[in-house]
Amino acid sequence: MSRKELISKVGLRLDGRRADELRRIRCKLGVFSEPDGSAYIEQGLTKVLAAVYGPHQVRGNRLKAQADAVIINCQFSMAVFSTSERKKRPRGDRKSTELSLHLRQALIAAIEVEKYPWSQIDVYVEVLHADGGIFPACVNAATLALIDAGIPIKEYVCACTASIANNNQAMVDISHEEEILGGPTLTIVALPMSEKIVLMEMSQRFHLDHLKSVLEKALEGCKNTKNILDQAVQNHIVDVGASTGWASTGEKVKR
Amino acid sequence: MTLSEAEKTFILHGVQENFRIDGRNRDDYRPMELETSIITHAFGSARLRLANTDVVVTVKVEIDVPFPDRPLEGKMEFFIDCSANATPDFEGRGGENLATEISNTLTAAYSSNSVFDYTKLCILKGRKCWKIYVDILILECGGNLYDAISIAVKAALWNTSIPLVKSVTIDGNNVDMNVSENLSDCIKLDISAAPLMVTLCKIGDHCVVDPTSAEEQCSQGAIVVAISKGKFSTVFQTGGGSLHPLTLMEKLKLGAKVGNRLEEALSEALSKIKENGEMGFLN
């Protein structure tokens, strides 16, 4: 399958991770003031900005408004400088349209859509640096932005990729290098607390026997991502709370 | 954002009293934050945050063929991407008009050789030259886009390093270039004359610089001037409304003054930029 050993004999990958290790995730909520919610996430070198506007009145065609659910409108866009080769257009191509639809599907599963009938929520993601796992980073950034906007969600919605190395070893969070060298990539979007899978996409064929182990790895990756995001949200709340004064009245919150 | 009649009057009176809604004078700028080398894929990059206007500018260079009528000069192209993150109005193709307007202005401002030395970008006369792609990503609009973009573009060009071409050999129709393998061998661009744009917004009887988006809504027209070493490299009027020639001259004088001040502030800021500092959106 893969021409090169993606996991060395001692069990290390090309960038020095082990098979079940995620790349470093760093994130920040509330990066911008204009949108209702915004977030920035770095997963390894992949960098994504997300902004959420709404819920607000339906823009454009009012007939689209739904009586029982909010309209989720997503746009995926990649900055022209995000890849090593300069891109011609930031959006509008087939791949970004597809990713916009996927993102929408992922978010509908998490947002409590019935809370806001006749309204609309806009979610925009902008990739600043693409280094593998773009879509998972976008989903995670969008989740954080939704939380920052204060939109009720059922639970965190997280995404992760997994692949198979050396023909039988599953590995998690695939970098761009591994994407090119390696075999198939499985992307899943999951609700990690209830262990439900919202969206699953496979880039190439692989044997059904491997699917279980790869899927488990990806799901585990989602759970780990969720824990990291949750910690970031809690830290953010402490920061915001402390600046408005509530933290000073009680016991000092440990970070 | 839409303003009511009363809010507009409030802003107007503030401008008359030389005490604007955020406490500034008419010719004051809001605080700016500038970072360079934030995009690793690019040859040079800068991010400027002017209050809540946020732009990222990156510079990439590619090898291209010079224009037949200017065989000794390189090329420069500006591309503006109005991200929907800035405002939902930019979704889809919504930002394209604004993007074209800004890129045309930048092209005009940078068109002259006395502003930016294009001959430096020539590799082989008539055959090979560097083409500079300046990509501008607007992440948040809080008014005064032109000024913010021009500052960020200048900073990104300052940050740019172009690979050093050691030798060029011609073999029939093929041109072979020997690019230095040493990463630290590179050419820095000379940006001392690169223009900075100043937007002068007419509100009531007075002009303000660095308008916020609320002030932009109250304006009866604005002039954008690009200043390069005390000289104008482009001037254009934007927005509705008409201006009296006397007002126009007054505005241009103010623009030149403010532009020089901005230039000094920018070169001071660039001299203070540290390599490998903590930066990016996390801070």
Side-chain angles (χ1 to χ4, degrees):
Chain A
M1 199 181 293
S2 54
R3 285 149 299 277
K4 202 177 163 194
E5 295 268 295
L6 284 175
I7 299 180
S8 70
K9 286 195 183 72
V10 286
L12 293 178
R13 288 154 68 175
L14 295 168
D15 48 7
R17 285 182 289 157
R18 295 196 181 276
D20 55 354
E21 277 174 351
L22 297 170
R23 290 175 290 175
R24 178 167 72 159
I25 298 182
R26 297 197 292 177
C27 49
K28 192 184 173 190
L29 281 82
V31 269
F32 297 124
S33 50
E34 198 72 24
D36 295 299
S38 58
Y40 171 72
I41 195 165
E42 277 181 20
Q43 291 191 247
L45 288 175
T46 302
K47 294 168 187 167
V48 176
L49 276 169
V52 169
Y53 287 86
H56 55 72
Q57 211 173 36
V58 177
R59 264 182 303 109
N61 189 0
R62 293 279 160 82
L63 296 173
K64 281 190 304 185
Q66 297 163 354
D68 54 347
V70 62
I71 297 175
I72 315 277
N73 174 37
C74 293
Q75 184 180 269
F76 170 89
S77 163
M78 256 171 109
V80 285
F81 49 77
S82 60
T83 49
S84 50
E85 189 101 323
R86 184 178 177 271
K87 276 168 68 83
K88 282 265 167 338
R89 286 197 297 176
R91 59 188 147 265
D93 54 335
R94 202 174 284 193
K95 191 187 163 210
S96 10
T97 317
E98 188 195 355
L99 288 181
S100 302
L101 289 172
H102 284 172
L103 184 63
R104 181 166 171 267
Q105 187 185 339
L107 296 181
I108 283 179
I111 298 173
E112 298 197 1
V113 282
E114 65 288 343
K115 284 256 163 66
Y116 304 104
W118 308 111
S119 347
Q120 178 177 353
I121 296 171
D122 295 317
V123 181
Y124 302 119
V125 290
E126 182 79 44
V127 179
L128 294 181
H129 194 135
D131 185 53
I134 305 164
F135 181 65
C138 288
V139 173
N140 298 336
T143 310
L144 290 178
L146 283 172
I147 292 171
D148 187 43
I151 291 166
I153 52 177
K154 289 169 195 144
E155 61 174 285
Y156 283 85
V157 54
C158 294
C160 195
T161 54
S163 178
I164 199 142
N166 308 357
N167 291 331
N168 56 3
Q169 270 180 287
M171 58 180 189
V172 78
D173 196 11
I174 311 305
S175 71
H176 182 61
E177 201 182 2
E178 288 164 336
E179 251 171 36
I180 297 172
L181 293 171
T185 306
L186 177 80
T187 308
I188 66 159
V189 181
L191 302 173
M193 286 153 95
S194 54
E195 301 197 353
K196 279 181 200 154
I197 290 166
V198 177
L199 190 139
M200 187 161 117
E201 200 204 13
M202 214 149 52
S203 68
Q204 287 172 41
R205 62 185 189 136
F206 65 82
H207 201 276
L208 196 57
D209 291 352
H210 295 315
L211 183 62
K212 193 166 170 278
S213 65
V214 176
L215 192 60
E216 268 169 14
K217 261 291 189 272
L219 201 56
E220 198 189 301
C222 287
K223 281 182 197 162
N224 290 334
T225 311
K226 182 241 149 197
N227 291 337
I228 296 167
L229 298 190
D230 191 35
Q231 194 58 50
V233 171
Q234 285 183 23
N235 287 346
H236 176 72
I237 301 293
V238 170
D239 281 352
V240 173
S243 64
T244 53
W246 56 256
S248 60
T249 53
E251 209 178 326
K252 196 159 189 246
V253 187
K254 276 200 186 121
R255 293 188 60 175
Chain B
M1 178 169 44
T2 37
L3 295 180
S4 70
E5 218 40 52
E7 282 170 304
K8 284 186 179 171
T9 320
F10 185 69
I11 291 174
L12 182 83
H13 286 170
V15 170
Q16 267 168 6
E17 302 284 326
N18 202 6
F19 192 83
R20 289 152 75 179
I21 38 170
D22 42 10
R24 286 181 290 157
N25 286 344
R26 284 193 288 261
D27 57 353
D28 276 351
Y29 271 85
R30 289 169 289 175
M32 294 181 209
E33 279 171 46
L34 181 68
E35 291 169 312
T36 53
S37 318
I38 61 155
I39 306 288
T40 43
H41 273 326
F43 290 73
S45 58
R47 176 193 177 209
L48 184 89
R49 201 169 161 79
L50 168 66
N52 58 347
T53 300
D54 207 320
V55 289
V56 173
V57 176
T58 62
V59 176
K60 280 199 181 194
V61 294
E62 276 176 25
I63 288 173
D64 204 4
V65 181
F67 293 115
D69 54 335
R70 292 172 179 179
L72 278 172
E73 293 176 14
K75 296 175 178 177
M76 177 136 69
E77 193 182 291
F78 294 94
F79 177 82
I80 321 273
D81 179 11
C82 299
S83 166
N85 283 33
T87 150
D89 298 335
F90 290 160
E91 200 191 328
R93 309 174 76 93
E96 263 177 26
N97 288 340
L98 180 69
T100 322
E101 194 180 300
I102 297 176
S103 72
N104 287 348
T105 316
L106 275 172
T107 312
Y110 273 89
S111 61
S112 153
N113 254 332
S114 55
V115 160
F116 185 82
D117 191 5
Y118 288 94
T119 54
K120 282 264 172 65
L121 302 175
C122 181
I123 301 169
L124 182 67
K125 186 186 170 191
R127 302 284 282 280
K128 294 277 178 216
C129 69
W130 291 112
K131 180 169 187 180
I132 301 186
Y133 287 97
V134 182
D135 296 310
I136 298 147
L137 177 65
I138 301 174
L139 289 172
E140 197 174 11
C141 291
N144 205 12
L145 267 180
Y146 283 95
D147 298 25
I149 287 173
S150 72
I151 297 169
V153 166
K154 189 163 178 170
L157 287 172
W158 172 85
N159 184 235
T160 302
S161 348
I162 292 181
L164 182 72
V165 179
K166 273 183 171 165
S167 60
V168 186
T169 48
I170 306 168
D171 178 17
N173 263 335
N174 290 332
V175 180
D176 280 331
M177 290 189 304
N178 181 9
V179 178
S180 173
E181 276 163 18
N182 190 350
L183 283 177
S184 54
D185 264 0
C186 42
I187 311 166
K188 283 278 179 188
L189 296 169
D190 175 29
I191 49 105
S192 56
L196 287 178
M197 295 201 264
V198 178
T199 311
L200 300 148
C201 214
K202 186 163 187 275
I203 300 174
D205 299 331
H206 300 276
C207 290
V208 297
V209 298
D210 189 24
T212 60
S213 38
E215 283 169 335
E216 274 175 355
Q217 275 192 44
C218 305
S219 95
Q220 304 127 309
I223 292 268
V224 180
V225 293
I227 313 274
S228 146
K229 286 202 164 161
K231 291 180 179 145
F232 294 98
S233 77
T234 190
V235 177
F236 89 106
Q237 193 176 342
T238 168
S242 48
L243 298 166
H244 195 272
L246 280 178
T247 326
L248 196 66
M249 290 316 291
E250 212 176 279
K251 270 190 172 189
L252 292 180
K253 270 185 202 142
L254 177 67
K257 202 181 86 190
V258 175
N260 288 337
R261 225 174 57 203
L262 198 59
E263 170 76 59
E264 278 166 27
L266 178 64
S267 49
E268 199 195 322
L270 287 177
S271 68
K272 279 186 192 159
I273 280 185
K274 284 186 292 250
E275 288 288 318
N276 306 324
E278 270 294 305
M279 54 197 157
F281 292 91
L282 288 167
N283 298 298

